[in-house]
Amino acid sequence: MSATAIALVAAFGGLLLFGVPIAFCLGLAAAIGLWVADVPQVVLAQRVISGTQIFTLLAIPGFVLTGDLMMRGGLSRRLIRVGQALVGHITGGLGMVTVVSATFFAAISGSAPATTAAVGQIMIPEMERHGYGRGFATALATASGPIGQMIPPSIPMVIWGVVSEQSISELFLAGVVPGLLIAAAFMVACAVAARRMDVPRASARATRRELGAALWDGKWALAAPVLILGGIYGGVFTPTEAAAVGVFYGLAVGLLVHREIGVADLYGIVLGAMRTTAIICLIIATAAAFGWLVASERVPAALAAAVLSVSDSPVVILLLLNVTLLFIGAIMDNIAAMIILGSVLTGLGAQLGLDPIHLGAIVVINFAIGMATPPFGYSLFVGSAISGLSIERISLSIWPLLLVQLAVLIAITFVPALTLALPSLLR
């Protein structure tokens, strides 16, 4: 590698080890790389600005605000009641309610931390009260949260669509089957865990009247993904426009229907969404400058050649790719990782003959699993904050759920139809 590439990688790694926030790691490393390459620093400002001048990125603040509005508006609580009526009577049913609720909420928020927080705050104490260990309850909420990155609308899918220049609508569809497979596998794990811990059934089977009442009370929550996704795939609006529709829907339901949000609450909700959006966009901006310099030094081509030189077998290369992405997802911000590695991964996928949509699903799902992978997965910190348990305690309980996710990951890696069946219908 050139002196510039070495300086770039060394600066980024050193800053990261010293605990510097990821956005500043990227920006400072890019500035150092430009200095070593004797390129004017004004290029850094130009690349930072150009990295955010992408229309599709407007979907991010919209989906972030939509998730916050719907969580504060009581939709998460109503989704949990629907889940309780559907599967609460089954052995392990309360754990299954957590999974079902997380899957529903994922289709609203598109965010792993938001899903973990919204569902975990309600379900962790409830599961513990019914005999589940607090460690397992927290691990389940933590592992279920990243389903929000698979089920559309998924913010990481939007980012990958921008980075790889692929259809966001097709990427959304590519995550549906893997997300549902992981949810189903988690429900089986709940049944096994409940029998092992001798947890009694949480409730009797809901009557038709009770089920109908729960569905009716949760109708506005259940309608949200239908409205957003139906509008996208029905050609009514684009994914970016869908984010705006979601905001107006969340406002209408919270203010006028459930009336759990007051006008005075909007300032705090919008401010929180703005903070989240600002963090994401700062990472995107600095990562764009970093990524441009990495690409100009031909680092992606060198890394792709190094990976391909390990073996001639596509199976070995794909396994190595998954291991690498899981490790990166567990120690690094997903959005920054996708932007930095985008050119490397798309080039590697092309050489392996992977469908770009299939590759996108593999990347996003790897990073989603990494969100709950010890020791640095971001969802672990959210789970720890809402449960009061240490990261070590949660890590001891989460490993069986991680094995389940890894099994699904291997399946979607080597059976492309699991991710491409729905996008092919759209095509």
Side-chain angles (χ1 to χ4, degrees):
M1 289 195 295
S2 66
T4 301
I6 294 172
L8 192 68
V9 174
F12 176 74
L15 291 166
L16 204 61
L17 287 174
F18 278 104
V20 177
I22 186 71
F24 295 103
C25 286
L26 293 166
L28 290 172
I32 292 171
L34 290 172
W35 177 72
V36 172
D38 198 24
V39 176
Q41 291 294 323
V42 70
V43 173
L44 177 62
Q46 293 172 344
R47 290 296 163 180
V48 163
I49 293 172
S50 65
T52 58
Q53 304 302 301
I54 302 172
F55 175 75
T56 314
L57 292 178
L58 288 174
I60 294 174
F63 283 131
V64 170
L65 182 55
T66 297
D68 288 351
L69 285 168
M70 293 186 177
M71 182 172 64
R72 291 284 297 274
L75 275 76
S76 57
R77 188 177 66 256
R78 288 170 171 83
L79 288 174
I80 288 172
R81 185 185 172 196
V82 172
Q84 183 75 42
L86 289 172
V87 297
H89 61 282
I90 303 173
T91 300
L94 202 58
M96 295 179 188
V97 171
T98 301
V99 178
V100 171
S101 301
T103 305
F104 274 123
F105 193 78
I108 296 174
S109 72
S111 166
T115 302
T116 296
V119 175
Q121 285 175 342
I122 299 173
M123 293 306 303
I124 291 173
E126 190 71 12
M127 288 180 67
E128 188 178 21
R129 189 168 67 85
H130 283 83
Y132 291 87
R134 191 169 184 81
F136 176 79
T138 305
L140 183 63
T142 300
S144 298
I147 295 176
Q149 294 194 189
M150 307 173 203
I151 301 288
S154 160
I155 292 173
M157 288 291 192
V158 174
I159 300 297
W160 183 256
V162 172
V163 170
S164 63
E165 299 181 350
Q166 296 299 318
S167 165
I168 293 174
S169 297
E170 291 189 23
L171 286 167
F172 277 175
L173 284 177
V176 172
V177 173
L180 294 179
L181 281 175
I182 288 177
F186 278 179
M187 293 175 75
V188 173
C190 288
V192 173
R195 288 190 175 92
R196 182 174 55 83
M197 290 184 279
D198 198 24
V199 175
R201 296 183 182 183
S203 62
R205 181 188 293 271
T207 64
R208 290 184 180 181
R209 184 184 185 89
E210 290 170 337
L211 178 58
L215 290 171
W216 179 255
D217 188 42
K219 61 184 180 296
W220 295 103
L222 296 172
V226 176
L227 171 67
I228 294 172
L229 301 180
I232 293 173
Y233 299 122
V236 180
F237 38 72
T238 67
T240 304
E241 293 165 343
V245 171
V247 170
F248 282 107
Y249 184 84
L251 276 172
V253 173
L255 286 171
L256 305 176
V257 179
H258 296 322
R259 298 184 180 180
E260 296 191 17
I261 297 176
V263 175
D265 298 321
L266 294 180
Y267 176 79
I269 295 172
V270 173
L271 184 62
M274 287 175 63
R275 286 172 177 162
T276 303
T277 301
I279 293 169
I280 293 173
C281 288
L282 181 60
I283 292 171
I284 291 172
T286 53
F290 185 90
W292 173 81
L293 192 54
V294 165
S296 67
E297 293 298 317
R298 301 186 60 81
V299 175
L303 289 175
V307 171
L308 292 171
S309 67
V310 172
S311 172
D312 294 330
S313 170
V315 174
V316 174
I317 294 173
L318 284 172
L319 289 174
L320 180 61
L321 176 65
N322 279 321
V323 171
T324 304
L325 292 177
L326 282 170
F327 176 74
I328 292 172
I331 64 171
M332 188 175 176
D333 181 85
N334 293 352
I335 294 172
M338 282 190 282
I339 296 173
I340 294 169
L341 298 174
S343 56
V344 177
L345 297 174
T346 51
L348 184 60
Q351 293 189 54
L352 292 174
L354 292 178
D355 185 288
I357 301 299
H358 181 210
L359 174 65
I362 292 173
V363 172
V364 171
I365 292 166
N366 265 293
F367 286 161
I369 297 173
M371 292 281 283
T373 301
F376 301 117
Y378 188 70
S379 286
L380 288 169
F381 294 100
V382 177
S384 176
I386 61 178
S387 68
L389 297 180
S390 66
I391 299 295
E392 292 79 10
R393 174 76 182 282
I394 301 172
S395 300
L396 289 174
S397 301
I398 206 171
W399 68 265
L401 300 174
L402 291 178
L403 291 178
V404 166
Q405 290 178 305
L406 291 176
V408 174
L409 175 63
I410 295 299
I412 67 162
T413 299
F414 295 105
V415 185
L418 293 175
T419 54
L420 296 179
L422 292 180
S424 66
L425 294 177
L426 185 64
R427 293 171 186 172

